[in-house]
Structure formats: C-alpha cells, structure tokens
Amino acid sequence: MQEQTTETTAAPTGPGPLASGLDELLAATVAVTKAHMGALFLLPPGEGVLLMSSAVGIPAPIAHQWVRIRLEDPVPAAAAVRERRLVWLADHEDMARRFPGVALSLPYHFSLAAMPIHAGGVDRGSLVLLWPEPHPAELTPHELEVMEGTTRRMGALIRRAADRGESLLPGSRPRILSPRGDGQVDPVAARAALDYLNRLPWGACAMDMEGRVTFITPQAADLLGVDPADLLCMRPWEVLPWMGDPVFEDHYRQAVLSHRPTSFTARHPSGRRLSFEFHSDPTGISVRIAPDLTAPPPAGEEQAHVAEDGKLRADALYNMVHLAATLTRAVTVQDVTDLVADQVMSVCDIQALALTIAENGRLRVVGARGYGRGFVDRYDGLPLDAPTSTCDALRSGDPEFYGNWEEYRQAYPDAVRYDDMSAWAVLPLITSGRPFGACLFGYDRPHMFNPDERATLTSLAGLIAQALERARLYDVKHQLAECLQASLLPSELPAVPGLQVAAHYLPATRGMDIGGDFYDLIRLDDTTVAAVIGDVQGHDMTAAALMGQVRTAIRAHATAGARPGDVLAHTNLLLIDLAPELFTSCLYVTLDLKRRRATLASAGHLPPLLRRPGEVARSVDLPPGLLLGLEPDADYLTREIAFPMGSVLALYTDGLIEAPGVDLDEGIAGLAEHLTRSADLPLHILAQLLIDQAESVDHRTDDTALLLLKSQP
C-alpha cells in the first residue's frame, strides 16, 4: 500500500483546548501508570461507534486498525462501554479466551485494561492502557486510582465540550502522540555513547515506535549493505527489498507491543547470515545486528530472506487477519459494507467503496461509502454487458487497476467521470469459482498499484466475497421470515363503537432473527371486544409460524364464547401438543364497553398499564399464571377492573421496555411515566411516541408489539 504519513500531533489547524486537555490527560496517565501504550476512544452521540481520538506509543499502522469500532464489536474498548465496567486482560491467554479476534490480529504478549468514560449519566467513550508482560495478575490499587481519576476528568472535559458544541473528534486519523521523554540529553554523554557504539565489532541502529530508523552505526550499515543516509527516517523493510519478508516487521511489532527481547536470523542477498536482536521501551527500539557464526542450515532449507514482489508485508497480513476475524460477525449486507469500510478504508487510504452484485442481468449496488448519490444512481441497475470496468471484472473474474483517469480512459474511451476519484481498484467477488459481484475501491489521488498491493487487495476481495455471500443468504432468510410474520399479524384491526385502538409492531434490529410477538383485537358482539398480546419463545421461523397458530387458537376459543381464563387454558393444551419445547407468554382481555369493565387473564406476560382520567398510569396487578406450553393442567385466574370513559389500557411485549443497563421494574416505571405524561394525545400519536422509545435503541435484541385501547363515547 502507499504509506500514509501520520501526523504526530493533531490536524494542521491543531486541536481545540479541550481536545488538547484530553491528550495531556492520556499522555500523563500512560506515564504515571508506567503503561507503554494508551488510547482514548470517543462515542459520538447516537452513532453506536467508538472513534479513536488519540493514542500514545501505538504505531500508526497498528492504531489505524482500530480507528473505528462498532459498539457491539467483541473488542475490549467497546465491551467496557457496552457493559459499563472495567475490562482487565492479564495476559495474551486471557485475551485469546475472551476476545479471540483481537488475539488473532495482535498475537503478542501484553496486558490490557479498558475503562468506560461516563459523564452526566451518558456513555462518552473508553480509556485503554497496555502494559508489557509480565504484569501482576490484577491491576494495582495505584493503577486503578489513576485510571478512575483520569476517566472522571475526561468525562468532565467531554461533557463540557458537548455543552459548548465543540467537537473533540480528529479528522480521518487519530492524533498519535509521542511518549513523554526523560528530558534533554547531555552532549558529552551522547558523544561517549556514540564512541562506545562505534568501537563494537557488531552493528547497532535505533528505530522509533513507527519503525523508522533514527540512528545507525557504520558497522550496521556495512552489514546491511546500504548507505546510512538511505535508511535514516525510513523503515528498513521499505528500503531494502530483501527485508520485505513479514518476519522482519513481525518482530518489530512484537518488540513494540510486548517489550520483550526478540531475535531472528536472516540471510543477506550476498549469502552471509545476519543475527538481529530487538530491545524496546516506550521511547523506541534498539537493534543489534551481527554476523551469525552458528552452523549454516541444511542445504535447501528456506531462510527468512528476500521477499519478492507480491509477498504480503506484515501489516497487510495482520490487517487481513483482523478483517477476516471481523467479517465473521457480519450478518447482513449492510454489516459487510460497514465493516469493510471501517476496517479497510482507513488502513489502505481508500476514500470510496462500492459493493455490487449481479442480479437479474443487471448490476445492483448493495453498499457504498464515500460515493455520492449520482454515482450510485448511475451504476445501480446497469446492464451487465455495459462497457464499464465493474461489469467487465464481474464477467471475467479478473481484477483491474487504474492508477489515474488517463489509464481508465485508455481502457474505456467513452467513459464519463461520475465521481471525484482519481484511481480505482476493481475487484471481482468470487465464491465457489464463480464471480457474483465486484468491489470498487476509489482513491482521491493518482495511485500506483505495485504487485504487492495488487495481491493484498485481491486477497481482501476474497474475504469480502465470502462474507457478502453469507450475508445475502441471511438477508433472504430474514426477509422471508419477516414476510411470514407480517402475514400472520392482522392487516387491520376492526372498528368498534366506543373504543379507540392503535397498534404497532417493531422488528428487532437487523442481525437478529425474527421473533414471535403478536397482538389481535377480536370483536365478540356489539358491545364486547377481546384484546390479546403475546410473545412466543424463540427467534426463528418456527417461532413465527407457531405465533400464527397460537393467535388462530385464541381467536377460535374467544369467538366460541369462552371466558378469558378458559381461552388461555384451551390454548395452553394446544401449544403442548404442537410444540412441547416452546413456551408463550400471553395476556388476554375482554372489554365490556357497555358496563365499562375489563376482565383480564395472564399467562406469564408483562402486566398491562392502565391510565384512568386524572390519574397516573399504573400496572394492573393480575393473578400469576404459567407460560403457555408448560403444564397441561395449568389454571388461569381472572381479574375484573373498571374501565371508565377516557381510560387508556396499554398491552405490550418486553421489547418495548428493554434497554442496556435497565432492569424490568425500571422499564415498566419509565413506560408508565410516558403514558401518564402523554395519555391525552391522540392515540395513534401516543402509540408512536411509546414505540419511539424502543426504536431509539441501536441494537434491539427482541421485537416489540404494542396495543393501546381507549374507552370513548
């Protein structure tokens, strides 16, 4: 990949005073706790994504893997915010057990602590610190005290910035801060150290935390066969082709993250074998380079040496491993688009992404990031035989790379530029030997694709293709289940004189299976109506199908004149016969609109809320009843209550009151408060306000049903 030069401070305009204050707190915390790395993640309101704001001691190629983390991702920084607690990982084994994806992409020995940042009752982000192993099995009281104090102060700064309308987020890259040094160096001591190094029979060089050479002795340069000036401020594996093997960069990463001495032997193109030793601390890496005088390996044994064009560099290798682990969590096509955009675009310096598939002889854009509406409109629905690079790559299965607009025009003279990009990589998406789509990467500047980068991008396309194919299959299955459930719910509720009705159904967020929530309104005679709401256990098509059978059984027994308790008892017996391994909660209500009375029976369902005119909304206390499907001889008692003119009765499922960190009683109390405050609104508006509370949750693990009943003249 073309290397992106990372700023060591902020963007050119410089961070604001509050952002600088956060950076100072982060740097000071790393120094005081004797951690060797630290990172600050911020949670923009309403986005469900953690963004790395700044980092200390973390090399940019590693930091860029974690620039953008979704709140539901299984990584320590997100888990700390999601679970609102300290996440402590004492060693790599602990990391592999609890966060295997992270351990796979960072296979090094370090300890990690992630602490959430809160302020004003709002999640603000997380603070992450890393220590080299060995570290005590638990954080010390001093480390805990410092982290807790830091997160409190950070929370206050973030809240102050929010009150001022000041953004604390960096641009497309986090601010990479240098660790605090030990002050000025004595020139006399520096001269003595240089003389000492020059007298040694082996070579030595120093690298910063980014892997760039800051100092090299003549002996080391001679052993490497390079002029010292050619290596200064450069990464060795970028200057010397024979050091392009991943083993070199892998040992550099291990030294940076683990602070453990590491060594390996490699062969120079001249044939001589060299020994490398890495020693690191938070300020950089010292490298000892010496001839390897041990016995040579057996003839024909492969050595860590020349990396030919096309061989993956270590950062590309680990980025692919990280992406592969991340894509296993992608459930929907949108998940794939978001994960590829978050994990690939920042690392590879890509400005635009489009995922396309072939469907019914046409090109369909299923995901895009960075492209404007005009580009998507132009390509979505394009015939597959259209003379474009995307269609050609999809048909042929061969990747195409265009370093600038002139190259593209040479291949496609009639092409029209529909975007602001200046270079493109067009990669077929292939599974089972068959291309089914194409991935388009766009660059806002001319870009030379070397063989190594072409191989990397082609490999990435293979990972994307597998994830996208799985997601498409899931989307089809989910759509079928949604259609099934929608067909089983009532398309409209009957109009009943003296009763105003409003109902809403809200499915779980994409990525969760379909649920079995249901509701119904059954007109029994001119002045009597039955209302029912329930939740079949499970989240699959079986639950949705069973929901339809339960609803049909309840309707049959209700219209036959059975009392509320008997309706539930008869349905219970049917459920035991149909699916003895599935259970259903259910609430059944009959409303006598002439007498203004309601009779209720519950099978383990949440209590309804009743708001009478001039009163606050309260839960209706009902006799407990077993879930349907548990016991064949279960008995369901009833209770009769007054339902005067203007009263509102709310029947709901648990999806309406579920929220992270909120228990059941708190959720019901919150719903009662909303109902009390807004009960005088038109019923359809009230229903929408109540359902909005559930819809605002970023990751709903359950579907939601709501049925409101209001007595009127």
Side-chain angles (χ1 to χ4, degrees), residues 485-494 503 518-521 551 555:
Q485 185 166 32
S487 67
L488 294 174
L489 290 172
S491 57
E492 60 179 353
L493 298 176
F518 66 95
Y519 62 86
D520 204 354
L521 188 70
R551 177 173 164 254
R555 176 174 281 268

Side-chain angles (χ1 to χ4, degrees), residues 9-11 19 42 51-54 67 167-175:
T9 56
L42 299 182
L51 302 177
M52 185 185 289
S53 171
S54 54
V67 166
S167 174
L168 299 177
L169 299 175
S172 59
R173 306 283 188 175
R175 295 182 289 273

Side-chain angles (χ1 to χ4, degrees), residues 327 329-337 355 366 436 464-479 510:
L327 284 175
R329 305 192 304 270
V331 178
T332 67
V333 171
Q334 188 60 49
D335 286 342
V336 175
T337 303
L355 295 178
V366 296
F436 69 90
I464 296 168
Q466 294 173 19
L468 189 59
E469 185 73 354
R470 290 194 306 269
R472 290 174 66 208
L473 292 174
Y474 172 83
D475 279 348
V476 170
K477 174 186 173 184
H478 194 88
Q479 186 176 13
R510 300 287 282 176

